[in-house]
Amino acid sequence: MNKIIYNFANRNNNLGTETAFTVLAKANKLAAEGKSIINLGIGQPDFPTPEHIVEAGIKALRDGHHGYTQSTGIPKLREAVSEDIFKRHNQNVSPENILIVPGGKVIIFFAAMLMGEKNKEILYPNPGFPIYESAINYSGAKAVPYELSEKKGFSFSAEDILNKINDKTSLIIINSPANPTGGVVPKIELEKLAKGLEKHPNVILMSDEIYDQFCFGSTPFTSMLSFPNIRDQLIILNGWSKTYAMTGWRLGYGIFPTKLYEIAEKLAVNIHSCVNASAQYAAIEALQGSQECVVEMNNAFKKRAYYMYKSLNDIDGFNCQEPNGAFYCFPNIKVTNKSSTIIQNELLDNLGIATVAGTSFGKYGEGFIRLSCANSSEAIQEAIERIKAVY
Ligand code: PLP
């Protein structure tokens, strides 16, 4: 028999991945072998989806919502998103500019496909969510990192980003509150960025606001929708995964300027047709029902993040800044003289604690590890005890 030669397209060699899923698989394997594992690796709320939202999804199935929906999302859901934005940010966004997609991640891929190609450059945060760099590389564009440094509280300076723009720059990605650092960018920097972008009408900004409702530090969250001067060059990424503990439902949305929306809609038709119908009905209930669950989760993450960062600072070798939002601590482990990957492996193999090496979020993540606060206070306390006993 002939040996098959898989002559696949070269761009596939450029795809990266999300190590959090690899760590999760390894942690699950160790747990199945009987090892006591504390999972501080994966970035998803440890809360179940609130009951009223689950019920709305079940009702939608019982009511016969089994077919395709509009590829852009059911109109009632797009209106609910528009109303939610008005309620929270006092900004008008037309449902015509809102695209419902199967997970916020899809918007990263769409933005990269819309704006990236050979001879273009895309700026992205580093350390940052690894899919940014992966999607940029896949698009053929050059991925240009801007560093989020610990010294600046893992925020960025608008000037830094604006100085990196050249003739080839087509897209800038920002993320606040941020994964993996827990950093939140102050309004003043965002305002400066918006002002500076006025001089670059050929550059699009994608603001990943998926953690917007988990912001509990001294710097309040500001949406890029607050700056009407850049609305025509702004893509927003948001969704239900984190806010309503709905990671497995696969639901997210993007807001696009009209011209880009038309292409994004075609991408949606070509790739996924539409989002699962019952999940969309559940999403309406999430936005229109009680928001008590969101407040509860935010309070829990705040309490755990505070405990985690304080306790990590009592351990030799770990220096942690207080996170401002999202649900992660990102301690500096440089004084251990071990790489992030070594510490990640030591914690999992020797202590049964799943974490993610900082380098999984880009080269500037070396010397850091990410610990998720999305586990019970008891589990976090136990993890801290285990680390304390050894380091
Ligand atoms: N953006 C950031 C910064 C994230 O951390 C994540 C998920 O971890 C996503 C986007 C993707 O979210 P979703 O699960 O809705 O695709």
Side-chain angles (χ1 to χ4, degrees):
M1 212 166 82
N2 281 343
K3 188 172 182 293
I4 306 297
I5 297 163
Y6 295 101
N7 199 9
F8 57 79
N10 204 24
R11 66 171 166 275
N12 295 293
N13 291 314
N14 298 335
L15 274 175
T17 189
E18 220 188 314
T19 317
F21 284 100
T22 322
V23 173
L24 179 66
K26 188 172 170 190
N28 286 341
K29 186 168 172 282
L30 290 170
E33 288 164 5
K35 191 155 183 189
S36 156
I37 298 293
I38 302 172
N39 197 341
L40 307 182
I42 196 83
Q44 69 176 337
D46 55 312
F47 296 88
T49 305
E51 198 51 38
H52 64 287
I53 300 175
V54 174
E55 284 304 322
I58 293 170
K59 181 172 183 305
L61 286 172
R62 295 241 154 85
D63 287 350
H65 294 292
H66 303 165
Y68 292 126
T69 75
Q70 290 86 342
S71 56
T72 49
I74 54 180
K76 245 184 111 178
L77 177 56
R78 293 161 73 203
E79 277 157 30
V81 172
S82 170
E83 283 159 18
D84 177 63
I85 289 167
F86 186 76
K87 205 165 59 198
R88 295 195 295 118
H89 305 308
N90 202 25
Q91 295 295 330
N92 284 307
V93 172
S94 164
E96 303 283 298
N97 294 94
I98 297 166
L99 184 70
I100 309 298
V101 288
K105 209 179 223 177
V106 172
I107 299 300
I108 301 171
F109 198 75
F110 279 18
M113 289 300 116
L114 277 163
M115 304 309 301
E117 63 186 341
K118 201 164 177 256
N119 291 325
K120 290 202 167 140
E121 294 187 2
I122 299 179
L123 301 174
Y124 71 102
N126 188 325
F129 188 47
I131 300 308
Y132 302 145
E133 190 177 337
S134 171
I136 298 166
N137 287 334
Y138 192 70
S139 79
K142 183 176 173 195
V144 181
Y146 61 87
E147 185 177 359
L148 295 178
S149 86
E150 189 186 24
K151 275 191 226 102
K152 290 183 185 157
F154 295 116
S155 177
F156 58 71
S157 106
E159 204 185 331
D160 242 31
I161 294 185
L162 292 166
N163 284 341
K164 284 193 155 56
I165 296 178
N166 63 31
D167 290 349
K168 293 180 177 172
T169 310
S170 59
L171 177 70
I172 300 170
I173 298 174
I174 61 171
N175 172 221
S176 171
N179 176 9
T181 64
V184 175
V185 183
K187 184 173 185 183
I188 179 124
E189 283 311 317
L190 298 174
E191 201 164 12
K192 275 190 214 159
L193 183 62
K195 188 92 200 108
L197 280 175
E198 282 178 7
K199 294 197 198 92
H200 301 283
N202 50 339
V203 175
I204 297 296
L205 177 74
M206 189 193 86
S207 179
D208 181 344
E209 304 186 351
I210 197 118
Y211 293 99
D212 64 348
Q213 302 240 44
F214 299 138
C215 195
F216 38 71
S218 50
T219 310
F221 169 73
T222 304
S223 171
M224 287 313 289
L225 289 167
S226 322
F227 309 109
N229 59 321
I230 56 153
R231 194 62 77 76
D232 290 339
Q233 58 192 124
L234 177 66
I235 298 173
I236 294 281
L237 179 164
N238 210 326
W240 290 259
S241 299
K242 317 287 176 180
T243 314
Y244 299 100
M246 294 176 77
T247 49
W249 295 71
R250 305 316 296 138
L251 264 174
Y253 68 84
I255 302 171
F256 294 86
T258 304
K259 188 80 196 154
L260 297 181
Y261 190 93
E262 288 162 9
I263 311 170
E265 181 179 348
K266 278 194 204 154
L267 281 170
V269 175
N270 274 274
I271 297 171
H272 59 260
S273 297
C274 67
V275 173
N276 173 317
S278 60
Q280 292 190 63
Y281 282 92
I284 297 174
E285 175 59 25
L287 296 176
Q288 296 182 340
S290 165
Q291 300 301 298
E292 197 56 34
C293 51
V294 183
V295 177
E296 262 172 40
M297 274 194 281
N298 188 45
N299 287 341
F301 293 143
K302 177 181 178 164
K303 208 169 112 206
R304 296 174 194 171
Y306 185 78
Y307 168 78
M308 191 188 265
Y309 111 88
K310 278 282 213 196
S311 323
L312 284 169
N313 282 336
D314 289 338
I315 301 173
D316 281 346
F318 290 76
N319 287 297
C320 190
Q321 289 211 356
E322 183 173 1
N324 247 290
F327 38 68
Y328 308 107
C329 281
F330 200 59
N332 181 327
I333 45 93
K334 287 177 187 166
V335 296
T336 62
N337 283 322
K338 291 176 184 167
S339 72
S340 302
T341 310
I342 289 180
I343 295 284
Q344 172 198 288
N345 292 340
E346 276 184 9
L347 291 177
L348 185 55
D349 298 336
N350 305 341
L351 305 180
I353 304 165
T355 63
V356 185
T359 39
S360 301
F361 305 95
K363 64 176 177 182
Y364 297 122
E366 183 53 277
F368 296 86
I369 56 162
R370 188 190 79 173
L371 295 92
S372 166
C373 308
N375 205 328
S376 68
S377 301
E378 295 73 34
I380 293 172
Q381 209 165 337
E382 165 70 18
I384 294 289
E385 295 305 324
R386 288 189 196 179
I387 302 174
K388 221 180 225 169
V390 172
Y391 287 85

